Amino acid sequence: MIHNSSYFERLEHNPRDPSHWHALFLDNSVPFNKDAKAAFLFDSTRKSKQFLLPFLRVFGRLTIIILQIFKAVAPNLINAPKTLHRFLYWGMKYWVSPEANFLILRHFYLGSEVLRFIKDNVEGAENIPMNPLKPLSIEAVKDNLFLEHDLNLYNFIINLNKAIQEQGLTIHPVEHPDFSAIGSQPIPFEEFRDGWTNILDLSSAIEIFTPVYQFFLTDNDFWRASNSLQLDEVIGVYAATIMRCPEKLVALNNKHPMIPLPTYGAGFRLVLHGLSTEVLHHLISQEKLQKDTEVIV
């Protein structure tokens, strides 16, 4: 069962013992879908995050550093994306919490909608190729889902900017943006397994998966994937320009894409990447709702 917003809405407030997670759920300073926020915060209450994550983070980062030495000597010796994604599928299905799996699959879905929103609001960009990823079950992970997500992001930015340079296109404020790419209904995911082994919170799972990701890919593939996390700022600038709200970019945390960061911190930045996508998508969703309300009035 995925814990949605009703879980926190029913919580009783004890002034002598206030809940950290309850306070964050009620706070609306950072835009976030309520059910996704509830899933993230409930997932953060798991024992694995409090007691297991500190050790996993040290072990994961040390493993990444050791693998970096190995990859420097043999950068292309191992290149097995299919095996990688079978491992990720198995880990997600049997060891990762339902809330974490919900947030992971949402990330691919929302990311595809944000990219399509940008394309739809750049006049003349109709012919830019897209490869939307909208998985509805963990089974979809087997189709190189994580790797395709990274490639989509880079290919979109490259193709869009080539069109801007070659065709004279511009990204500029749009008076009436096209919001058709942004869904407003809950995503119909298949039910996630919730067995006794599904105990890993999102952050703990990512700290385990990141060195595995590095091991099964070439050094270039992992380096590219690690650097892609800072492209949140690029995508955020595009969307904020279209919607005339540059001040909202303060909510995006992965910044400065021209300054690569060490790969050993990729796990933590991947969590921030997921949060940035949620925030940006919800910003666009709120703008869509506001425009729809104005039309009705």
Side-chain angles (χ1 to χ4, degrees):
M1 182 186 75
I2 303 295
H3 289 80
N4 57 25
S5 58
S6 62
Y7 171 83
F8 286 97
E9 289 166 352
R10 293 195 304 266
L11 284 181
E12 292 290 333
H13 169 51
N14 179 359
R16 302 302 305 168
D17 185 22
S19 165
H20 174 71
W21 312 111
H22 193 196
L24 289 177
F25 176 78
L26 294 176
D27 171 62
N28 290 314
S29 59
V30 177
F32 217 103
N33 174 276
K34 275 197 168 185
D35 286 336
K37 187 177 187 180
F40 182 83
L41 293 177
F42 182 84
D43 190 60
S44 297
T45 68
R46 291 184 178 273
K47 297 300 183 184
S48 63
K49 185 150 192 176
Q50 182 177 0
F51 299 107
L52 191 58
L53 177 59
F55 300 98
L56 288 176
R57 182 158 287 164
V58 172
F59 176 77
R61 293 188 175 193
L62 181 60
T63 303
I64 288 173
I65 292 172
I66 294 172
L67 284 174
Q68 189 70 72
I69 298 172
F70 168 72
K71 295 287 184 176
V73 178
N76 301 315
L77 181 63
I78 302 174
N79 184 21
K82 282 291 184 184
T83 303
L84 164 66
H85 284 83
R86 289 192 201 102
F87 183 92
L88 295 175
Y89 162 78
W90 173 79
M92 288 173 65
K93 182 173 182 178
Y94 294 105
W95 295 98
V96 177
S97 72
E99 288 79 16
N101 282 327
F102 168 73
L103 292 166
I104 291 170
L105 292 193
R106 262 181 70 87
H107 175 70
F108 299 114
Y109 209 101
L110 301 189
S112 293
E113 290 192 347
V114 169
L115 294 185
R116 184 54 192 259
F117 166 78
I118 294 169
K119 175 184 173 179
D120 288 345
N121 288 283
V122 177
E123 188 176 355
E126 296 83 8
N127 295 325
I128 291 177
M130 300 289 289
N131 178 29
L133 301 174
K134 295 192 172 184
L136 297 177
S137 70
I138 296 177
E139 192 78 21
V141 170
K142 294 179 180 179
D143 295 326
N144 288 356
L145 187 64
F146 287 79
L147 187 58
E148 288 296 323
H149 173 66
D150 293 335
L151 295 176
N152 277 355
L153 186 54
Y154 279 106
N155 289 333
F156 176 77
I157 293 173
I158 290 171
N159 289 329
L160 175 61
N161 283 279
K162 285 180 68 176
I164 288 173
Q165 294 173 19
E166 295 170 3
Q167 303 173 36
L169 309 184
T170 61
I171 302 175
H172 57 262
V174 177
E175 188 68 32
H176 301 289
D178 179 354
F179 292 104
S180 58
I182 305 299
S184 54
Q185 300 300 318
I187 303 171
F189 293 123
E190 291 185 13
E191 186 173 353
F192 297 104
R193 183 181 185 274
D194 191 11
W196 68 271
T197 58
N198 294 98
I199 59 172
L200 286 178
D201 65 277
L202 179 64
S203 296
S204 296
I206 287 175
E207 290 295 341
I208 294 172
F209 288 161
T210 301
V212 172
Y213 201 90
Q214 180 187 22
F215 177 79
F216 282 111
L217 295 182
T218 66
D219 182 62
N220 182 64
D221 283 342
F222 182 68
W223 179 243
R224 182 185 61 233
S226 177
N227 288 337
S228 74
L229 303 174
Q230 290 166 266
L231 293 176
D232 291 345
E233 185 174 45
V234 173
I235 298 301
V237 167
Y238 294 164
T241 299
I242 291 168
M243 296 190 298
R244 306 181 189 220
C245 59
E247 71 282 356
K248 299 295 179 62
L249 290 177
V250 68
L252 304 183
N253 295 296
N254 280 319
K255 297 181 179 293
H256 309 300
M258 293 183 67
I259 305 175
L261 296 175
T263 53
Y264 61 74
F268 177 69
R269 289 190 292 120
L270 185 52
V271 177
L272 293 181
H273 174 59
L275 292 181
S276 294
T277 300
E278 287 282 357
V279 168
L280 183 57
H281 187 275
H282 196 62
L283 277 172
I284 301 172
S285 298
Q286 286 181 317
E287 190 73 13
K288 176 182 180 179
L289 180 61
Q290 181 179 340
K291 297 296 183 185
D292 289 346
T293 303
E294 289 174 358
V295 170
I296 294 174
V297 173

